Amino acid sequence: MAPTRSSRAAFVLLGGVQVTLIFTLAAVAVPLPGIGDEFGVRREELILLSAAYGLTFAGLLLFGGRLADRYGGQRALTAGLLVFGLASVAAPLAPGYGALLAARFAQGAGAALIAPAAMAVLRTVFPSPAAYGGAMATWGGLSVLGATAGNLLSGVISALLSWRWAFAVPLAVTVAALVLAPRVLPAATGPRSGTGGPQHPDRRPRLDLPGAFLATAGLASASYGLVLTDAWPWTSGQVLAPLVAGVVLLAMFVGVERRTPDPLLPPRFLLDGRRALGLAATALTAAGTATVFVLFSLHLQDERGWSALRTSTAFVPFAVALLASGRVAGRLIGRYGAPAVTGAGLAVGAVGLVLLALLGMNDTVPYAYGLLPGFVLLATGVAASFAGAAVLATDRVPAERTGLAGGVHNTAMETGPTVVFALVLGVGGDAASLAVTAALFGTAALALGLTRV
């Protein structure tokens, strides 16, 4: 069934919100040095500021997904938008580092409720499996589009105005979404709905508060420990304390989930082969994209002396290639299947990463020969990989667990960059990190090619 005008409008609204969530994640990446100069804070404090949004976003996603399944996608979406919007007002008005840090934490908490709720509502917009699969193929590329837009626009805005104006984008989108949602999104489908409206009280999943606490605290603590490896050695107390605490909390979470009648994350949910491959590909693709953005944002400004504005414009071809590839990814998935498109995307992305490792870090090679080919190939590959992985990760999910699927999918997307980036940085220089990431892409593409799911 072809999408109707109303379903297309709903997808545009929900997709715009999803893009904005990831845009906000990257909104302070390029202007971070300027924020440090304005507030007079140390490097480790800037690292925490950069990670704050992602820590609460990733840590609360599973709980956000369960809230969406229990109370309905639209209620959870509205609540998340209100929290996100208020934090987006507080961030640009922050008089100092502490206030800005608190606003970033609050933005992440709102985003953790919005992301799975939006996917739950999307299920009501496209109720048939074929239509939902097609929508998810497009949805998969929205996050990397948001990250690219965040890197592009944050540099432009901070150069022309101030880093504070970068928060005007999430605020404007939030207000628009709150105003348009009642008109564009379908009405709640009734008391027994698992997605658009709240479930019947007898069928609502319990909230599993102990599991929610352990998952949130464990993911946030472990992620923070990994983030600190940028400034401290792995054997330092600054890294080991939160890392070990995070691992212990996550181990406790696994134990609690095995004994809880209605767990936050049912263990069997991750045993589906297609879903596991989709989540792994999502995490790896997000990690590769984030690695390139971080390394080249720093390299172009610190090593080549480029301005923030020029650095942002260097990623314009990446955005163009991403959009072009994303437009055809859905049709390719319909013809060749999600595993084949995901694997092919990872393989193309691996070639792009190899070119960036060999030529991109060489200051004597012009941009047109050193960076441009790698950026175009990587963007082409990750758009296809994200699209296919989103279909794999959400396929065969019952309607009453759509919020859970959204939470797990977004958790993989948020934690993947933190884990992989911390690991690949330990192998040596920037070129070596890109080469290792390329090897991971190639290995995953080979695994998908050999696996039948």
Side-chain angles (χ1 to χ4, degrees), residues 288-289 292 296 318 344-361 369-382 431 433-435 437-439 441-442:
T289 307
V292 167
F296 281 100
F318 187 100
L346 287 167
V348 173
V351 176
L353 287 166
V354 169
L355 290 178
L356 291 173
L358 295 175
L359 302 174
M361 290 293 173
Y369 304 106
L371 288 171
L372 183 58
F375 278 170
V376 170
L377 284 174
L378 178 62
T380 302
V382 300
S433 298
L434 292 170
T437 307
F441 269 51

Side-chain angles (χ1 to χ4, degrees), residues 206-377:
R206 297 178 182 177
L207 287 183
D208 184 19
L209 294 179
F213 170 78
L214 291 171
T216 301
L219 285 171
S221 181
S223 297
Y224 180 58
L226 290 171
V227 166
L228 289 180
T229 58
D230 181 68
W232 302 93
W234 281 84
T235 54
S236 67
Q238 289 86 347
V239 171
L240 285 178
L243 193 59
V244 171
V247 171
V248 171
L249 288 168
L250 289 175
M252 294 172 63
F253 168 71
V254 173
V256 167
E257 296 304 276
R258 296 180 65 179
R259 297 191 302 270
T260 301
D262 198 358
L264 182 71
L265 177 61
R268 289 184 177 275
F269 189 79
L270 300 178
L271 296 181
D272 181 275
R274 289 172 65 88
R275 190 172 302 128
L277 286 173
L279 293 172
T282 296
L284 183 57
T285 307
T289 307
T291 298
V292 167
F293 283 162
V294 171
L295 291 183
F296 281 100
S297 292
L298 294 174
H299 172 78
L300 293 176
Q301 294 181 79
D302 295 343
E303 304 299 328
R304 300 197 186 191
W306 289 19
S307 66
L309 179 59
R310 188 181 179 188
T311 299
S312 291
T313 58
F315 290 97
V316 170
F318 187 100
V320 174
L322 184 73
L323 289 170
S325 179
R327 288 182 64 86
V328 301
R331 292 194 293 271
L332 292 175
I333 291 172
R335 183 171 182 178
Y336 299 106
V341 173
T342 306
L346 287 167
V348 173
V351 176
L353 287 166
V354 169
L355 290 178
L356 291 173
L358 295 175
L359 302 174
M361 290 293 173
N362 189 337
D363 296 347
T364 64
V365 180
Y367 172 85
Y369 304 106
L371 288 171
L372 183 58
F375 278 170
V376 170
L377 284 174

Side-chain angles (χ1 to χ4, degrees), residues 21-58:
L21 298 184
I22 310 302
F23 170 94
T24 308
L25 181 67
V28 300
V30 175
L32 204 58
I35 296 174
D37 293 339
E38 179 176 336
F39 291 146
V41 296
R42 300 184 302 274
R43 178 179 174 85
E44 54 267 31
E45 292 173 309
L46 287 178
I47 291 172
L48 178 58
L49 179 62
S50 177
Y53 178 88
L55 290 177
T56 48
F57 192 178

Side-chain angles (χ1 to χ4, degrees), residues 174-215:
T174 301
V175 172
L178 287 170
V179 171
L180 294 175
R183 307 177 186 179
V184 172
L185 300 181
T189 54
R192 293 181 182 270
S193 170
T195 52
Q199 293 186 33
H200 188 278
D202 295 337
R203 299 186 179 184
R204 289 178 178 178
R206 297 178 182 177
L207 287 183
D208 184 19
L209 294 179
F213 170 78
L214 291 171

